[in-house]
Structures are given as structure tokens and as C-alpha cells.
Amino acid sequence: MSVTVVVGNPKPGSHTRRAAEMLAEQLSGREADETIELSELGPKLLGWGDPDVSETKDRTASSRLVIFASPTFKATYSGLLKLFLEQFSGGTGLEHIVAVPLMLGGGPTHALAPELTLRPVLAELGATCTSGLYLLDSSFDDGVVIGEYADRWRPMVQALFQGN
Amino acid sequence: MSVTVVVGNPKPGSHTRRAAEMLAEQLSGREADETIELSELGPKLLGWGDPDVSETKDRTASSRLVIFASPTFKATYSGLLKLFLEQFSGGTGLEHIVAVPLMLGGGPTHALAPELTLRPVLAELGATCTSGLYLLDSSFDDGVVIGEYADRWRPMVQALFQGN
Amino acid sequence: MSVTVVVGNPKPGSHTRRAAEMLAEQLSGREADETIELSELGPKLLGWGDPDVSETKDRTASSRLVIFASPTFKATYSGLLKLFLEQFSGGTGLEHIVAVPLMLGGGPTHALAPELTLRPVLAELGATCTSGLYLLDSSFDDGVVIGEYADRWRPMVQALFQGN
Amino acid sequence: MSVTVVVGNPKPGSHTRRAAEMLAEQLSGREADETIELSELGPKLLGWGDPDVSETKDRTASSRLVIFASPTFKATYSGLLKLFLEQFSGGTGLEHIVAVPLMLGGGPTHALAPELTLRPVLAELGATCTSGLYLLDSSFDDGVVIGEYADRWRPMVQALFQGN
């Protein structure tokens, strides 16, 4: 099972990345095979057909488990992440992966955003989605919420990918 | 694997029921073990603790695969179905089931409603959800859309419940 | 300007009612003309055409400002409120009113629910909607959040209904 | 009353722009004062503090009526539009404007997207929002749907801005 982390934070090396990598490890039992910082693609995401974007897209779609991680901007996921998701084909672009919608925020009032805003776009691309997870910037790194979430969803991930 | 159909149409014997039973059979390979017409519970759903409601709730939560089916009223699922879902515990009430959000409507303009309105409430109850499915009242019974959806999600259902 | 409060809490005399009446008074400058406790209609809401329901519906649709208030059940508004909203005509049933989507909850994590779940169904009925307001059960009655919200939206309400 | 059109289509001179300009004129009775093609800002939207972006942001926030127009990508508005909206302050950035959420799509199945996905982010920025409008790429330019929508919302726009 190949595991990928996609980070939709404009700032590299963010909490978003750290949380997503912790979650990937908790869900799969080992470190993510790859972390993609979308900020590195930058302006290449503003059009269609860039070769670096295409390659990144292909690596994502051929993974088995992908954490799509974003900070919470204006009560929803980042435009940077959306630019990347727009590169995939509707209905089928992510149909072979399990996608985890993860968002981090400064306070609890946007906690419904991963389920109500990020998960639907991943579903539109055909992914099998776990429930949306929202983490607080200030406290995620104690691992408690991440651990509980991983315990809930690990059996599904393992059942779907056993032997692969 | 026990398979249950929950019908949130105020009118018994509806297209909603028919479509849900077709989908249950396509997903699981055999007829649903039980179809629950919420209209039969009627006023008992307006409070908490009714013994008939409790029993129905327990049968639902102990199933493996449940189709939650509703007509589309005002661009979302029915109040009747919501009354039933309110009976379950938040976060855990449906945590052992795979829930399928199914809605039927008269035209295509409400096609996003299962994904954006019904699936989130099933997720809030802890269920593992497939993507929302929207069917047209006028054409679902040719089985084409139901068949394509079942082909997409049958492997997940089987992987999660093999041997059970 | 006639002002109505619609309370979708199954329990009469709730915090939901109290908060909605405070908000109505803050927005309009005087007490609500009427408070409708949907729990009093109970089973009559499970069908169509009941005369008490029809009369209540007509009084609501002929108001100018209506607070639609609900507790938060499973991260969205109550099934009881939905049953009432299903009685109105799609697109036009509430087209002459300003509708305020108000929800109360036990904690902050469902704060996006009024905007993302209740407001869309009011919009589907044709209403002019203010932004969704979420209040904490434990602290709304100090009036601070209600007051800030009323200050934001009072000018719109007054501009729309001046002289009426 | 100053009227602005914001176009979130990566391709300049799009149907999105044409539809938004038609709607602006129908709602306000005259041509839009300005049309902003976000594609012209391009990579400048990927960070914060760019002077061209700041100026564009200020012109938008000081308008009275703004059409926020986007194509439908993956069942929601474009990442390009989201990048621009992220530039505004949460809660207050658009509090003095009436914002119209407009989306165009190739077919009817995404018709709920403006109301359920675009309007909430405009509301999060403090705007007074009309209901979301969805138009078909293939038929909007006969002006029928735009005209009906403008008839519904013109009185509100005029009441809020009379004399201004």
C-alpha cells in the first residue's frame, strides 16, 4: 500500500503537513511514502497540462491512501488545494484511492468544514472517503485526536488494501 | 452480512422504497433482509424512548449494510428520515455499519443533495459512508444508474464484510 | 412589519424559543407578534393538508420577519422544523419574508450548521436570508452575540420594510 | 451605487464573464462599473500583500453590488476565485456589499453548488448575499433565467442602496 500526503498550505513546513504525516503513519503503520507540498508547484497549478503537475497528479492517483490536508481559510479548504484537485477527472480521477479529508484550524467553530466542504470535492473525483477530520492548530500534536481517528478508520483501510 | 433498507418517504410503497431495494440487492447480491417504512412509526418518532422506535433503531444499528433512502423535499432529505436519525447517538450510533445515502427526485437540479446534505448526517452518527446517490423518479427503474453505482461500491462492501 | 418566531424544538419553552424571541426583539425593536411552537402541531405535521398546519403556514408566510429557530441535532436542524418547512411551496413559499436561520448547540463545533444546512432550505423556499447564527446554549442569554448580530442585520431589515 | 463583476474563470473573456455582466446590468439598471478578470492577477494571488491584489481587493470591498462569478469545477467554484476570497478579512471583509453568488455549468446536476458552496464563503466574509444562481453554459444568453432572477432580487438591491 503506497501512502501519500498532499499538503495544501501555501507555507511549506506547516502544521498542516506535520499533522497529515502523523495521521498517515497512524493509519497505515508506517511513514508516508511521499509528501507533496503543493506550494512548490505554485503558478504551475494555474493552468492545465504542466508536466510537473501531471506527474504529481499521476503519483497521487496511483497511491492507495492519500491524506488531503489543508488549513482552514474562510471556513473552507484552501484555494491552493482546490487548484490541484481541479486537475483530476471528474468522477474517476481518484476512484482507486482512499482519501482522507483533513483540515486544521485556529479554533473549534469551523469543525464541520472537512465533512461539509472538503469531502464532497474528493467524492466528486470518485474517491472512497473516510469521514472529515478537523484538528486544532494548538493541540493536534499531542496525538490524541489523531490516534482516536486512526483507530476508527484503520480497519477499513486495512480491509481494502490487504495484500496490496 | 445483514442488509436493511430504511425508507424515509411519508407515503408507503413508494418509488423511494423500490429504488432502495433494487440497490440493496445489487450491492449485496441478494434481497434486503428487512425494509423499514418509517411512515409506519409516524408520531412515535416525535419523542424519545418509544419501544417500537427503539427496537427499529437497534435492528438498524446491528445491520451491516443499510440503505438510507429519502425523497427530495426542498432540496434535501425528508424530515421523517431526520426524526429517525435523531434517535441514534452522535458519533457512535451507526459506527458499525456501511451507510448508503440515497435520494430520489423529480429532476436533475438537486443531484448534489445526497452528498452535501444526507451523507454528512450519516457521517455524524459514525457510519462508514459510500458516496451519495441521486436517482430520477422517472427513470431509475431501468436499473442502469443503480447498476453502475453498485459496480463501483460492491468491492468495498465485500472487502469490509467478507466472512460476515 | 409583523414579526414571527418559529420554534423547532420538540420540547416547549426551550432555550431555543428564548433565544429566538430575544433576537426578534433586537432586530425589530419590539416583541415578536407571535411565537409558534411546532411541538404543539406534532403529528399533524406528518401529512399534508391539516387545517391547523395550513393556518400556521399562512401566518408564517404573511409575516415580514421570521426567526426560524432550532436546536442542533446531529450537526443540523431538527426534523420537526423540516416537517414544517416541507409544507411550503418550493421557490416561492417564503418569497415575501426575511428569514433568519438560528440554531443553538451545546458546544462550538457545530457553528457552521446554520449557514451550511438551515439557510439553504430557507433559500430553496424563496426567502431573503440573513446569515446563519449559531448560539451556545450555555451563554446566549447574556445577549452579547445576539446584540452584535442584530446590529449587523437591523439596517437591512429596516431598509426592506420601512413604512410597512 | 457602484457595481463590480469578479470573474473567477482561468480563461479570460469567458461565458462566465458574459453572464455576470448581463446579470449586473439586469440587477442595477446599467452596465457594471468594472469587470475584474482574476486570471490577470494569476500568480500574484498565491501569496499575500501583492500591491495589485491589494488594490483589486479594495476596489471590490468598496463597491456596493458585486457579482462573484465562477465556472463549476468538480461541483464547486474555482480555486482561482477562492484564492482571491482568501485575501479578505474573515467576518468583515465584504460586510458593506451585496454579493451575488453566480456559477455556470455544463449541465443541471450541479445546480445546488452556488447556494451550498459559494454563498457560504461570501457569508463568512460578512457579505449580504442574495440566493445562489446557477446557469447553464448552453442557454444562459437568452436572458430568461437571468431576467427572472433579477426581477426577484432587484427590489432588495434598490432598497438597500437607494440614494447611494
Side-chain angles (χ1 to χ4, degrees):
Chain A
M1 172 170 55
S2 61
V3 180
T4 298
V5 164
V6 174
V7 183
N9 196 316
K11 188 171 57 88
S14 60
H15 280 182
T16 314
R17 175 184 183 150
R18 171 81 182 120
E21 291 179 336
M22 287 173 65
L23 179 56
E25 187 167 351
Q26 288 282 314
L27 273 172
S28 70
R30 57 191 181 75
E31 282 189 18
D33 297 283
E34 183 181 19
T35 294
I36 296 165
E37 289 267 15
L38 295 177
S39 60
E40 293 177 6
L41 291 171
K44 297 175 180 176
L45 290 167
L46 290 167
W48 276 269
D50 178 272
D52 290 344
V53 170
S54 293
E55 192 208 14
T56 306
K57 190 179 79 161
D58 292 346
R59 291 205 313 274
T60 302
S62 61
S63 299
R64 283 304 181 85
L65 175 69
V66 182
I67 317 292
F68 289 93
S70 175
T72 306
F73 290 161
K74 316 311 169 193
T76 185
Y77 58 92
S78 69
L80 180 65
L81 177 55
K82 181 70 198 314
L83 291 178
F84 182 57
L85 295 175
E86 289 170 4
Q87 305 282 333
F88 295 86
S89 298
T92 58
L94 296 178
E95 70 182 331
H96 299 301
I97 73 163
V98 171
V100 179
L102 170 63
M103 291 175 58
L104 277 79
T109 58
H110 292 158
L112 287 175
E115 184 65 30
L116 290 171
T117 72
L118 179 51
R119 178 166 158 168
V121 69
L122 299 173
E124 179 72 17
L125 300 176
T128 299
C129 297
T130 60
S131 284
L133 176 60
Y134 184 82
L135 296 171
L136 292 173
D137 265 333
S138 54
S139 63
F140 77 89
D141 59 1
D142 65 13
V144 175
V145 178
I146 288 175
E148 290 170 352
Y149 182 90
D151 289 345
R152 164 64 184 86
W153 292 101
R154 194 181 302 111
M156 173 176 133
V157 170
Q158 291 180 339
L160 293 179
F161 297 136
Q162 59 190 354
N164 304 116
Chain B
M1 171 170 56
S2 60
V3 179
T4 298
V5 164
V6 174
V7 183
N9 196 316
K11 186 169 60 88
S14 59
H15 280 182
T16 316
R17 174 184 183 151
R18 171 81 183 120
E21 290 178 338
M22 286 173 66
L23 180 56
E25 189 167 348
Q26 288 282 315
L27 274 171
S28 70
R30 57 187 180 77
E31 283 189 18
D33 296 283
E34 183 179 18
T35 294
I36 296 166
E37 288 267 16
L38 295 177
S39 61
E40 294 177 6
L41 291 171
K44 295 175 179 175
L45 290 167
L46 289 167
W48 277 268
D50 178 90
D52 290 343
V53 170
S54 293
E55 194 210 11
T56 305
K57 190 179 78 162
D58 292 347
R59 291 204 314 272
T60 302
S62 61
S63 300
R64 281 306 181 85
L65 175 68
V66 183
I67 317 293
F68 289 93
S70 175
T72 307
F73 290 161
K74 314 312 167 194
T76 185
Y77 58 92
S78 68
L80 180 65
L81 177 55
K82 181 72 197 314
L83 291 178
F84 182 58
L85 295 174
E86 290 171 1
Q87 303 284 333
F88 294 85
S89 298
T92 58
L94 296 179
E95 71 182 330
H96 300 301
I97 73 164
V98 170
V100 179
L102 171 64
M103 291 175 59
L104 277 79
T109 57
H110 293 157
L112 286 175
E115 185 66 28
L116 289 171
T117 73
L118 178 51
R119 179 167 159 168
V121 68
L122 299 173
E124 179 71 19
L125 300 175
T128 299
C129 296
T130 60
S131 284
L133 175 61
Y134 184 82
L135 296 171
L136 291 174
D137 266 333
S138 54
S139 63
F140 76 89
D141 58 2
D142 64 13
V144 176
V145 180
I146 288 175
E148 291 169 352
Y149 183 89
D151 288 346
R152 164 65 183 86
W153 291 100
R154 193 181 303 112
M156 172 176 134
V157 170
Q158 290 180 339
L160 293 179
F161 297 137
Q162 59 191 354
N164 305 120
Chain C
M1 171 171 56
S2 62
V3 180
T4 298
V5 164
V6 173
V7 183
N9 196 315
K11 186 170 59 88
S14 60
H15 280 182
T16 315
R17 175 184 183 149
R18 172 82 184 120
E21 290 178 338
M22 287 173 66
L23 179 56
E25 189 167 349
Q26 289 281 314
L27 273 171
S28 70
R30 56 188 181 77
E31 282 190 18
D33 296 284
E34 184 180 17
T35 295
I36 295 166
E37 289 266 16
L38 295 178
S39 60
E40 293 176 6
L41 291 171
K44 296 174 179 175
L45 290 166
L46 290 168
W48 278 268
D50 178 90
D52 290 344
V53 170
S54 292
E55 195 209 11
T56 305
K57 190 180 78 163
D58 291 346
R59 293 205 312 275
T60 302
S62 62
S63 299
R64 282 306 182 83
L65 176 68
V66 183
I67 317 292
F68 289 92
S70 175
T72 306
F73 290 161
K74 315 310 169 195
T76 186
Y77 58 93
S78 69
L80 180 65
L81 177 55
K82 181 70 198 316
L83 291 178
F84 183 57
L85 295 174
E86 289 170 4
Q87 304 283 331
F88 295 85
S89 298
T92 59
L94 296 179
E95 71 183 329
H96 299 300
I97 72 164
V98 171
V100 179
L102 171 63
M103 291 175 59
L104 278 80
T109 57
H110 293 157
L112 287 175
E115 185 65 28
L116 289 172
T117 72
L118 179 51
R119 179 167 160 167
V121 68
L122 300 173
E124 179 71 19
L125 299 175
T128 300
C129 297
T130 60
S131 284
L133 176 60
Y134 184 83
L135 296 171
L136 292 174
D137 266 332
S138 54
S139 63
F140 76 89
D141 59 1
D142 65 13
V144 176
V145 178
I146 288 174
E148 290 169 352
Y149 183 89
D151 289 345
R152 164 63 184 87
W153 292 101
R154 194 182 302 111
M156 171 175 134
V157 170
Q158 290 179 340
L160 293 180
F161 297 136
Q162 61 191 352
N164 305 116
Chain D
M1 170 170 57
S2 60
V3 180
T4 298
V5 164
V6 174
V7 183
N9 196 316
K11 187 170 60 91
S14 59
H15 280 182
T16 315
R17 175 184 183 150
R18 171 82 182 120
E21 290 178 339
M22 286 174 66
L23 180 56
E25 188 167 349
Q26 288 282 314
L27 274 171
S28 70
R30 57 187 180 78
E31 282 190 18
D33 297 282
E34 183 180 19
T35 294
I36 296 165
E37 290 266 15
L38 295 178
S39 60
E40 293 176 7
L41 291 171
K44 296 175 179 175
L45 290 166
L46 289 167
W48 277 268
D50 178 272
D52 290 344
V53 170
S54 293
E55 194 209 12
T56 306
K57 189 179 80 161
D58 292 347
R59 293 205 314 273
T60 302
S62 62
S63 300
R64 280 307 179 85
L65 175 69
V66 183
I67 318 291
F68 289 93
S70 175
T72 307
F73 290 161
K74 315 310 167 195
T76 186
Y77 57 93
S78 69
L80 179 66
L81 177 54
K82 181 71 197 315
L83 290 178
F84 183 57
L85 296 174
E86 290 171 2
Q87 304 283 332
F88 295 86
S89 298
T92 59
L94 295 178
E95 69 182 331
H96 300 301
I97 74 162
V98 171
V100 178
L102 171 64
M103 291 174 60
L104 276 79
T109 58
H110 293 156
L112 287 175
E115 184 66 29
L116 289 171
T117 73
L118 178 52
R119 179 167 160 167
V121 69
L122 299 173
E124 179 72 18
L125 299 176
T128 299
C129 297
T130 60
S131 284
L133 176 60
Y134 184 82
L135 296 171
L136 292 174
D137 266 332
S138 54
S139 63
F140 77 89
D141 58 2
D142 64 13
V144 176
V145 178
I146 288 175
E148 290 170 351
Y149 183 89
D151 289 344
R152 164 64 184 87
W153 291 101
R154 194 182 303 110
M156 173 176 134
V157 170
Q158 291 180 340
L160 293 179
F161 297 136
Q162 59 191 352
N164 304 118

